[in-house]
Amino acid sequence: MTIFDALKAHQATVADRRIETMLDAGRAKDFSASAGELLFDYSKTNIDGEGRALLIDLLEQTGVAAKRDAMFSGEKINETEGRAVLHTALRNIDGKPVVVDGEDVMPGVLETLARMEKFATEVRDGIFEGQGGKITDVINIGIGGSDLGPAMGYLALAPYADGPRCHFVSNVDPADIFQTMEKCDPATTLVIVASKTFTTIETMTNARTAKEWMSEQVTDASAQFAALSTAMDKTAAFGIPANRVFGFEDWVGGRYSMWGPIGLSLMIAVGPQNFREFLRGGQEMDKHFCSTEWSQNVPAMLALVGLWHNQVCGHATRAVLPYDNNLARLPAYLQQLEMESNGKGVSMDGEDLAFNSGPVVWGEPGTNGQHAFYQLIHQGTRVIPCEFLVAAKGHEPELHYQHQLLVANCLAQSEALMKGRSLDEARGKVADKFEGAELERQAKHRVFVGNRPSTTLAYPQLTPLMLGQIIALYEHRVFVEGVVLGINSYDQWGVELGKELATALQPVVEGKEDAAGKDGSTAALVGFLRGNGL
Ligand code: F6P
């Protein structure tokens, strides 16, 4: 019997147990873990001592500790691409050596960080100027990991942003770049082309459009461009001088890259000091992950709760619900981090995966979600494990009472999900309005089955340091889940087919090639769109 079998057998015996019956005075402390000032509470799940012990066995049996150490020490754990996985080196600000292929990568990492800091300071202080004066706007052109990290971070750290305004253009849809250009003066705008490969069609198309726009207004467009990439030859071919190219190595995956050059726009917005705090937060989480026993290890426990809900209980999605408006883009960021990393049907060995792959991740900030999709979370037929995030305080002391209302809503939701409302209680709610069969019918609509699991990540305030901790926490969760499932979390072959077919379809949508060779549906859609102005 595998541990997964044992877990499923255990789950079957406890499936009907009400979570609230387990919540004695000690459970909240026992079924939570903390890292620095961050508290992870998973007491409102159906995991008990036996389930947790089995889950921790999973970590032992799959060698998570050894794989973690291999990752941190620069071994090539991304086996399908033959690469190390070392985004952790980007936040290793103590500079402790990290060796890849016999070479310490840290001097290079720290040198690039210092160059970024110098450039960011020059932009912020007006030493680096546009052809019309001090830089007022920064446009980051990138997609996926070259967009979501800095875009999410820029919103998250809005209270710390005192530099130029930042805009994030990702979509090849011309509306994105067009509307952004309309807001900016090219003479005082810095364009950052962010692309690990410098080949991504969306990014390169937008970058060329931005260059044309700038060329029409300033004498030397290239002088207001910077690039973030691993492909120095391509950045040079695009005309960006080497002193404004910030490079990184192939051991930084796109969705793990906001800690390095890809974070330049965020650094310009919040300043190098705050960006360093963000890195320090990430490094603190790394230290916690590497040195804390499993039951107290927040990334490990967050991963185990995820595995319990998805692979053991069979809940296919998880909702990430930040009661922190500045984390509005966190769900989108986590969609790429988790779904591009663990959305695989084949194990590292090339075998079909014996379990469900990683879950569908989705969400919106509270309280907005409450007025949109929580209906289904509370009364829909499927169970959706919810992951709440909440800060003790916001950044608006004068409106603290509003923050308290926000927190009350967050805690009320996890309580409501767990407790639900029985038919008896529902009858009591409407007994003064209805009677007989109508009372029964009306009451039934007001029943909440409850016993729906949730976790809460609580922290004092969303500072740069805390953001670093939170992002590194989710990265390590993905790593642990990936190792347990035997997945390579660091490749993304699943994005390739669509890219290839899009390239092949381009001449068809342009009308240069006939759609007849395509399947009937695609050909008909091309026909409709071309008939309507494509
Ligand atoms: O297509 C997926 C992907 O490769 C992501 O993994 C990556 O973050 C994104 O495209 C952008 O890639 P690049 O930074 O090379 O432009």
Side-chain angles (χ1 to χ4, degrees), residues 22 99 135 140 174 185 189 296 376 429 491 501:
M22 295 193 288
V99 177
I135 296 295
N140 183 86
D185 174 357
T189 295
Q296 296 306 310
L376 182 143
K429 286 272 164 198
D491 60 13
L501 294 184

Side-chain angles (χ1 to χ4, degrees), residues 14-313:
V14 301
D16 293 333
R17 173 178 60 196
R18 301 289 297 185
I19 297 169
E20 74 255 40
T21 61
M22 295 193 288
L23 265 170
D24 58 20
R27 181 170 164 89
K29 185 162 185 292
D30 194 11
F31 286 77
S32 61
S34 50
E37 294 188 307
L38 190 150
L39 173 77
F40 172 55
D41 178 310
Y42 59 101
S43 62
K44 291 194 188 91
T45 67
N46 206 355
I47 298 174
D48 57 16
E50 190 183 339
R52 180 169 58 192
L54 285 167
L55 287 165
I56 289 176
D57 274 357
L58 273 180
L59 305 180
E60 302 295 347
Q61 291 234 338
T62 51
V64 172
K67 293 240 171 59
R68 172 195 65 197
D69 298 345
M71 173 173 74
F72 274 90
S73 62
E75 280 180 40
K76 298 193 174 171
I77 64 163
N78 173 357
E79 293 176 21
T80 57
E81 295 180 315
R83 292 175 182 168
V85 174
L86 273 180
H87 46 279
T88 51
L90 300 176
R91 55 197 186 226
N92 176 28
I93 40 181
D94 302 347
K96 201 169 138 233
V98 179
V99 177
V100 179
D101 291 331
E103 204 182 313
D104 180 11
V105 301
M106 284 317 299
V109 167
L110 295 179
E111 191 199 317
T112 304
L113 177 61
R115 284 185 57 229
M116 286 168 65
E117 291 182 333
K118 181 167 178 292
F119 182 62
T121 304
E122 286 174 357
V123 172
R124 287 165 58 83
D125 291 353
I127 296 165
F128 174 89
E129 286 195 320
Q131 282 146 84
K134 190 170 178 182
I135 296 295
T136 54
D137 294 85
V138 173
I139 304 178
N140 183 86
I141 299 179
I143 197 164
S146 299
D147 164 71
L148 288 163
M152 176 275 297
Y154 182 59
L155 269 187
L157 300 184
Y160 300 85
D162 56 2
R165 277 183 302 271
C166 288
H167 313 266
F168 296 87
V169 171
S170 52
N171 204 321
V172 76
D173 184 333
D176 201 2
I177 185 89
F178 186 84
Q179 289 165 15
T180 305
M181 291 185 310
E182 276 198 326
K183 285 183 221 150
C184 301
D185 174 357
T188 57
T189 295
L190 170 69
V191 176
I192 298 178
V193 186
S195 176
K196 180 176 167 179
T197 55
F198 231 69
T199 56
T200 304
I201 187 118
E202 293 91 335
T203 300
M204 299 322 298
T205 306
N206 279 323
R208 280 190 293 273
T209 302
K211 204 167 171 189
E212 274 167 34
W213 166 71
M214 200 167 274
S215 303
E216 284 163 15
Q217 306 284 331
V218 302
T219 323
D220 181 5
S222 298
Q224 283 174 230
F225 270 68
L228 321 172
S229 185
T230 56
M232 303 302 170
D233 51 334
K234 297 194 174 68
T235 58
F238 190 82
I240 303 180
N243 66 337
R244 261 177 281 114
V245 177
F246 300 88
F248 53 105
E249 302 294 328
D250 68 4
W251 37 256
V252 180
R255 52 195 176 273
Y256 297 86
S257 63
M258 70 177 293
W259 311 95
I262 294 294
L264 181 64
S265 52
L266 178 60
M267 185 193 273
I268 293 173
V270 302
Q273 216 35 49
N274 283 319
F275 193 83
R276 268 199 182 238
E277 280 294 285
F278 167 68
L279 297 183
R280 199 160 69 78
Q283 191 186 33
E284 281 187 8
M285 187 54 73
D286 293 343
K287 289 181 180 165
H288 168 88
F289 179 47
C290 289
S291 63
T292 310
E293 61 160 295
W294 292 136
S295 68
Q296 296 306 310
N297 193 306
V298 177
M301 292 316 301
L302 185 63
L304 291 179
V305 171
L307 290 162
W308 167 262
H309 284 144
N310 183 11
Q311 280 77 14
V312 180
C313 301

